[in-house]
Amino acid sequence: MLLPSQAFATRRHFLSGVGLFGLASTLPTNLLSLASGRTVPVGSQSHAVPGSAIKNRAPLAPSVFHLLPLGSIRAHGWLDQQLRTQANGLSGHLDETWPDVGPNSGWLGGSGESWERGPYFLDGIVPLAYLLNDSILKTKAQRFVDWTLDHQAANGMIGPASNNDWWPRIVILKALTQYQELTGDQRVISVMEKYFQYQLAVLPSRPLRDWGRFRWQDELLSVIWLYNRTGSAPLIDLAHLLHKQGYDWMAQYANFQYKSRITREYLKLNAGNGLDDLALATHGVNNGQAIKTGPVWSLVSGSLADRSAALKMISELNRYHGLPNGMFSCDEHLAGLDPSQGSELCTVVEYMFSLEQSLAITGDPSLGDRLEQLAFNALPGAFTDDMWAHQYNQEPNQVECSLHHKPWVTDGPESNLYGLEPNFGCCTANFSQGWPKFTNSLFMFCGVQDNDRQDGIVAAAYAPCEVRTSLRGTAVHVLEETNYPFHGRVQLTINPATPMSFPLLLRIPAWAAGTSISVNGQSLPSPTAASFARIERTWKLGDRVEIAFPMATRTSRWFHDSIAVERGPLVFSYGIGEDWVKLRDHGMTADWQVFPTGQWNYALSLDSEFPAKSLEVTETEIGEGPFMRYHTPVQLSVKARKLNEWRADDGAANPLPQSPVADDQPEETITLIPYGAAKLRITAFPRCKT
Ligand SMILES: [Zn+2]
């Protein structure tokens, strides 16, 4: 398959590829058709030109950025490979092999699973199906959508009649809003209006409880989405009622108390207190979802303190539970700083979704840094290369994936197996949203209220893709060619239908001091790290923006002063030799244990003053897949010594010894690979005394 850099090696080929190239007399016609919203051929696909983003309607506070209407962004290159791998794997076939989302699902009118799993599945396969223009996957999604839209109760309630829990409805609303943006299906608007009227009337006597009470902010997103389209005043009342009944996450983090590993005894889980406030307030997925609470609520409250609450939450989680893969520990409750603790896959994808929404509302570039760190490390790290199997819990120092109890705080012995539904099936249903929603967040819209002269485009995160949107009624196409995050060069080709002035904002990560940017070969002043660089000019067809991120290696400090190695947004691990042993066949897939075939107990031997000097980088082209264990597009080599006293117990690496460590073993050179490619790995290393 041709990567974009090969396919569009010349401008002529590029223009041909996006349907803009032709005889001089046909060019304006094509461009006019882009601007007027007709469909135009692109390769073998057709695209309707998407509209522009919808700004918040008064009295909602303005967002700094907005997500582009779904359908605006298409993946290219390695990201397209990744989405196709996902669709060819468990995501695209889950309904064929897992009864919980199969033909007997309650969300298809059957008597089977009727709670969160159908909605979770839909929340991921709707964007995946449309990103890939995959007709089979669209048909699968449509069945769930149609059943939900066609079976609304007379009073307005939606979903299977066998339960009336608000929580799974919160998830189906997220899926329906995406579907509506992609298809324009007006049934969604009327069903949501009627449902919200019903909920507004019923909530006072049947309030939010357990999961729904702790995840109310996800429903608020859908309420705001509908309000921006209809302006119906009772939706603002509903927003206030959700806030009033929902758990007060801002208060939890204003005075954060959960600073160490949360145990079963502390939660009194054995007494059946799993849905008590204490258990739900320290639950990983709930906290991942909660990160968006402040920014989303700030749209209603107008409070800047609410808007910045996401940063405070992330900072507290990082301080007391942070792991070098960008996650916080949660197996299944907050689990402290030891990198042998795990993080649940649901939390990874929900944290990503929170970051995407929070970045759009606040415009804070650090949220984009964190989003990339999760997308390029923790997300692929939890899957087999073919995405037919996943983990429930992943660990940064993961020396064995086998049936064991240690170190999980509250989870079961299958938690870090790769399989169909290790430990519990929530992640099986929920993981599909990770890559598609990330793809849909690569570019965003920026603008100010009541002044469309400031409307512009934001590169919020980087990966190969193309964007089609419109600004002030003019179609704008942007092609992003890059092998980021493996390599540091990003090229954007800007194609407005007619020359027009607008701002282009480029996220400059905090690690990227020294980034250089040029437009059509002319260098711009060096941008500031941890900011958005703003380029405002009259853009014309084929303008080229080149960004060179400095991909210097760097080290970060973790548990017991251990060291992790990073380069750009990638975290690097020592990939331990893997022996995959099938535990059982499981439908169309299987459950796997993975045992180490060699030693892993290395301490890094680094230059004490300039640790990065001790790391040598090798870059190669991206092969069959970006996170394949045996063909990683970037590798580092570093000196290390075995540390005999550091061992494993019951399948988990014992706590790292306090660094620096004295070590008399001979020095070796070891290779580090991207975290996502190493299914057994050491990511936080002891550091040798020098
Ligand atoms: Zn889960």
Side-chain angles (χ1 to χ4, degrees), residues 112-351:
E113 207 276 346
S114 300
W115 195 48
E116 66 183 10
R117 294 186 180 180
Y120 267 159
F121 181 49
L122 194 62
D123 191 36
I125 65 162
V126 164
L128 181 64
Y130 284 83
L131 274 166
L132 294 175
N133 198 22
D134 180 327
S135 58
I136 295 173
L137 210 45
K138 283 182 187 174
T139 303
K140 290 181 175 193
Q142 193 72 40
R143 285 191 205 117
F144 285 89
V145 169
D146 285 343
W147 185 87
T148 303
L149 296 179
D150 293 344
H151 291 81
Q152 186 167 33
N155 63 9
M157 186 57 157
I158 55 174
S162 57
N163 76 77
N164 67 0
D165 189 356
W166 300 118
W167 158 239
R169 276 104 189 149
I170 292 175
V171 185
I172 200 81
L173 290 167
K174 284 195 298 171
L176 290 175
T177 55
Q178 293 179 83
Y179 163 79
Q180 201 283 334
E181 285 188 28
L182 288 160
T183 62
D185 190 333
Q186 286 302 303
R187 292 179 300 166
V188 173
I189 305 290
S190 55
V191 164
M192 285 177 68
E193 276 179 334
K194 198 170 166 188
Y195 174 69
F196 286 144
Q197 283 167 16
Y198 167 73
Q199 204 184 22
L200 186 59
V202 171
L203 271 178
S205 57
R206 192 165 72 74
L208 296 175
R209 64 176 172 84
D210 47 65
W211 302 110
R213 188 161 82 86
F214 281 78
R215 298 171 175 181
W216 63 276
Q217 63 287 330
D218 283 74
E219 175 164 344
L220 184 56
L221 276 176
S222 297
V223 173
I224 288 169
W225 182 92
L226 187 62
Y227 179 75
N228 282 336
R229 283 155 178 80
T230 66
S232 171
L235 292 171
I236 301 295
D237 297 335
L238 179 58
H240 282 280
L241 190 54
L242 292 170
H243 174 252
K244 188 174 154 205
Q245 292 190 359
Y247 181 72
D248 193 346
W249 286 108
M250 266 90 84
Q252 170 159 323
Y253 279 90
N255 180 22
F256 190 63
Q257 295 297 310
Y258 306 120
K259 298 181 179 175
S260 56
R261 194 169 183 261
I262 303 294
T263 63
R264 291 187 75 85
E265 297 69 38
Y266 179 75
L267 298 175
K268 300 187 177 67
L269 288 188
N270 294 340
N273 292 1
L275 293 180
D276 279 8
D277 277 9
L278 190 58
L280 292 171
T282 56
H283 186 271
V285 187
N286 287 352
N287 280 272
Q289 291 187 234
I291 285 162
K292 70 175 82 61
T293 310
V296 179
W297 176 244
S298 79
L299 299 179
V300 181
S301 72
S303 156
L304 289 179
D306 289 341
R307 189 159 287 206
S308 61
L311 299 176
K312 165 85 166 149
M313 289 186 185
I314 292 168
S315 150
E316 296 286 52
L317 286 167
N318 213 39
R319 184 168 171 196
Y320 297 109
H321 306 282
L323 299 174
N325 57 5
M327 282 299 300
F328 55 89
S329 62
C330 49
D331 57 24
E332 145 140 9
H333 298 85
L334 300 176
L337 294 165
D338 184 340
S340 289
Q341 297 297 144
S343 301
E344 184 187 334
L345 179 52
C346 277
T347 313
V348 176
V349 295
E350 292 294 354
Y351 194 173

Side-chain angles (χ1 to χ4, degrees), residues 344 346 392 426-427:
E344 184 187 334
C346 277
Y392 187 89
C426 51
C427 307

